[in-house]
Amino acid sequence: MKRKSSWAPALVVGVGLSAGGAHAEVVADTAQLDQIVVRGNYNNAIGTSDAASAGVVTSKLIEARPTFRPAEVLEFVPGVIVSQHSGDGKANQYYLRGFNLDHGTDFATSIDGMPANMPTHAHGQGYTDLNWLIPELIDRISYRKGPYSAEDGDFASAGSARIKLFDTLKRGVASLTVGENGYERGLLANSSALQTGKLLYALELSHNDGPWQHPEGFRKANGVLRYSLGLGDTKAALTAMAYSASWHSTDQVPLAAVQSGLIDRFGAVDPTDHGETQRYSLSLDLTRAMADGVAKLNAYYVQSKLDLYSNFTYWLADTTHGDQFEQAEQRRVFGLAASRAWDTPIAGVEGSTTIGLQARQDRLNPVGLYTAEGGARLSTVQQSEVHETAAALYAENATHWLPWLRTVAGLRTDHYDFDVTSSIAANSGQKTANINSPKLSVVLGPWRQTETFFNYGYGFHSNDARGVLTHVSPREGTPTDPSPALVRTKGAEVGVRGEWLPGLQTSMSLWRLTLGSELVFSGDAGDTEASGSSKRWGFELNNHYMLSPQWLIDADWAVSQARFNEAQGDAPNEGRFVPGSVKSVASVGVTGNDLGPWFGQFQLRYFGPRPLIEDGSVRSKATLLAYGRVGYKLTPDLKLSLDVFNLFDRQASDIDYYYESRLTPSAASESGLHFHPVEPRTFRVTLTANF
């Protein structure tokens, strides 16, 4: 059962280059003056970052590491954990900095300026489905943590990731992957030079049944077409994407039923759970370098659809038809972002000022929650038509006052319009909301290749438009209070980044984040879930060591604590623990390249135990997973690789929940641990040809 208001400190895992590594070529793209691209292994990030916890992940690192699911590329961001509690076509579950981010709340993700988070989503606020992402097309991932950048708005309190795709590929790619449990994936991608500009195209097809007793039958078709053009100081890219997927899902199951032999570890209580989704988009990304700065424009259109059937409590509420429910939506998104940066020296002191405008409208018709049985709709709980419009204006000034002193000060103002027409008349209406968010960063140094960072800022996240205007609970029909439209967050961080040994880059940060309210609309229940204000704090340590030109070692660790300010939950289990919050996360990675014809990678990830109810009396176990890759270059243009996931074949959980359910119509209801298992050791072989 998904707890929309759960938060989980999940700190720091990684293998990504948090702005660093060792011995690299740093290339500044003159058409994008504020983007730093790190080629190869990092050499010197000193003077380029505003926070110790910010950084850039390169395509070389992404290519070297195996990923079980497309969204796992976000685990290159130190601190991010990606898991799954349902079918492969559904958005993953994310964790970062004291947050159980559910399917994306409080972590903002964008692809070439096009946001992936979906507000007022049928399944969960901020829903971030990245199954349409093709890892081979990623040029870099730029990430930040905390609400310290004026450019970041909704969903960015824990952090943000900006994924940049290649405009062109150096060489074409044709790959075929086969694995256990019916896994098949084919990819064809290439770039062609036209008379004017260049064209990149990619087609991906995949299928997977998984280890489940009821085969998942996951099928995905994915296509990208990208036209890029560079004329003098102007650079533009027009990108079209199309994605479609369907699957049968095995959701979390009661641990007690598995231990008693009633259900297999990879079995399902309701085998009729399933889903299908489509996504189509068109986006424009334009940048122009000028004599006194740079101008940017991004515009996008997204059309998506989701139809999802789930059953987490089985027969708890309805012993006749069961508790299965359907969540469905059809969405259109229109958006743009524009910014202009000027060089603004003050009395000979270097500086720049950026002013930006962002606007977005989501039109959902319909978005609904329905009762279901056997994978078919029974009745409507609530169906709505929603228009949600967001507009933001921000300004940011960066000034290099002294050789050892930099500041970045920003202010952001956001305006929201919510318009809901519900099948429940009392839940229809309009509402507006505004919020202002100041930001400040101070950077001291460098001294002996070391910088110290101080960051402070306000952020926010929006709530589901239906929850903002809810006055009657859709399921119970009883009066309920609407949730706040915008929830304030406040963060502070102090950090250090240094290169104290040749080839070693280390960053440390101590952070704190408070949240005014964790009232979040629950798509599963159709109403708001009330919880109190909270605070979380933690420490992160990231190390990236270039042992030699062929060997890179990453070792990352973090701890955190999340607590409600006042006791929450139902008696007798009231307490201040935030369900799902993890105490510690660690990661160790070793990457080897150019070892003659051989190459390889090993990754070890530790996902610590977490409290599952407010008094902390029930906790999950830790999960320790290892991934590995061994590859061989048959020719300069042909390579063969073997990826092994869950290398040590550990029986662990991808995710755990504690709640009440009823296994059969005649059984007694019982509160207990429900889990979604990690898939067993899995082998996949890939043959890749470049042309």
Side-chain angles (χ1 to χ4, degrees), residues 200-241:
L200 181 151
Y201 58 87
L203 176 64
E204 177 192 30
L205 301 173
S206 67
H207 170 269
N208 189 26
D209 285 329
W212 321 110
Q213 279 194 334
H214 303 278
E216 185 175 10
F218 174 66
R219 286 178 169 79
K220 176 172 74 171
N222 199 10
V224 176
L225 194 63
R226 183 177 179 91
Y227 174 74
S228 60
L229 176 67
L231 293 175
D233 294 329
T234 301
K235 180 180 178 181
L238 182 65
T239 306
M241 296 181 174

Side-chain angles (χ1 to χ4, degrees), residues 222-286:
N222 199 10
V224 176
L225 194 63
R226 183 177 179 91
Y227 174 74
S228 60
L229 176 67
L231 293 175
D233 294 329
T234 301
K235 180 180 178 181
L238 182 65
T239 306
M241 296 181 174
Y243 162 72
S244 178
S246 62
W247 65 95
H248 298 279
S249 55
T250 295
D251 292 333
Q252 63 261 21
V253 295
L255 176 62
V258 174
Q259 292 175 334
S260 66
L262 292 176
I263 303 173
D264 186 82
R265 181 176 180 82
F266 299 104
V269 178
D270 190 341
T272 66
D273 290 349
H274 68 279
E276 60 177 280
T277 186
Q278 293 89 41
R279 182 191 181 279
Y280 308 95
S281 67
L282 183 66
S283 62
L284 172 67
D285 192 19
L286 187 147

Side-chain angles (χ1 to χ4, degrees), residues 485-557:
L486 306 175
V487 176
R488 165 66 73 201
T489 61
K490 181 172 65 175
E493 179 176 325
V494 58
V496 177
R497 176 185 293 128
E499 298 174 15
W500 303 313
L501 295 174
L504 174 65
Q505 187 268 334
T506 298
S507 64
M508 296 178 286
S509 58
L510 181 67
W511 59 269
R512 177 184 171 91
L513 189 67
T514 62
L515 188 71
S517 169
E518 295 195 10
L519 272 171
V520 179
F521 185 91
S522 170
D524 296 344
D527 58 11
T528 56
E529 223 178 281
S531 59
S533 60
S534 62
K535 57 188 175 185
R536 44 189 60 76
W537 57 91
F539 173 76
E540 299 176 342
L541 173 63
N542 305 319
N543 298 279
H544 309 284
Y545 182 43
M546 182 60 66
L547 185 63
S548 72
Q550 292 79 30
W551 291 100
L552 173 67
I553 300 174
D554 295 274
D556 302 325
W557 171 71

Side-chain angles (χ1 to χ4, degrees), residues 601-614:
Q601 207 271 346
F602 174 81
Q603 187 72 24
L604 189 66
R605 186 194 80 171
Y606 174 77
F607 185 24
R610 24 226 186 262
L612 300 180
I613 56 177
E614 287 79 1

Side-chain angles (χ1 to χ4, degrees), residues 116-252:
N117 302 72
M118 295 295 159
T120 311
H121 191 272
H123 187 63
Q125 179 72 343
Y127 187 86
T128 306
D129 181 4
L130 293 178
N131 287 299
W132 47 272
L133 190 62
I134 300 176
E136 289 87 347
L137 300 187
I138 298 176
D139 180 18
R140 61 184 180 270
I141 303 174
S142 302
Y143 62 86
R144 303 185 182 112
K145 299 178 191 175
Y148 312 127
S149 172
E151 186 181 8
D152 292 335
D154 200 2
F155 304 123
S157 293
S160 65
R162 286 175 166 77
I163 299 174
K164 177 70 174 65
L165 302 181
F166 284 111
D167 288 332
T168 61
L169 299 175
K170 292 182 179 180
R171 294 192 296 170
V173 179
S175 69
L176 177 64
T177 303
V178 294
E180 297 176 273
N181 303 312
Y183 183 86
E184 300 167 328
R185 178 181 185 256
L187 172 68
L188 177 65
N190 197 14
S191 299
S192 299
L194 306 179
Q195 186 172 3
T196 303
K198 296 181 180 180
L199 184 68
L200 181 151
Y201 58 87
L203 176 64
E204 177 192 30
L205 301 173
S206 67
H207 170 269
N208 189 26
D209 285 329
W212 321 110
Q213 279 194 334
H214 303 278
E216 185 175 10
F218 174 66
R219 286 178 169 79
K220 176 172 74 171
N222 199 10
V224 176
L225 194 63
R226 183 177 179 91
Y227 174 74
S228 60
L229 176 67
L231 293 175
D233 294 329
T234 301
K235 180 180 178 181
L238 182 65
T239 306
M241 296 181 174
Y243 162 72
S244 178
S246 62
W247 65 95
H248 298 279
S249 55
T250 295
D251 292 333
Q252 63 261 21

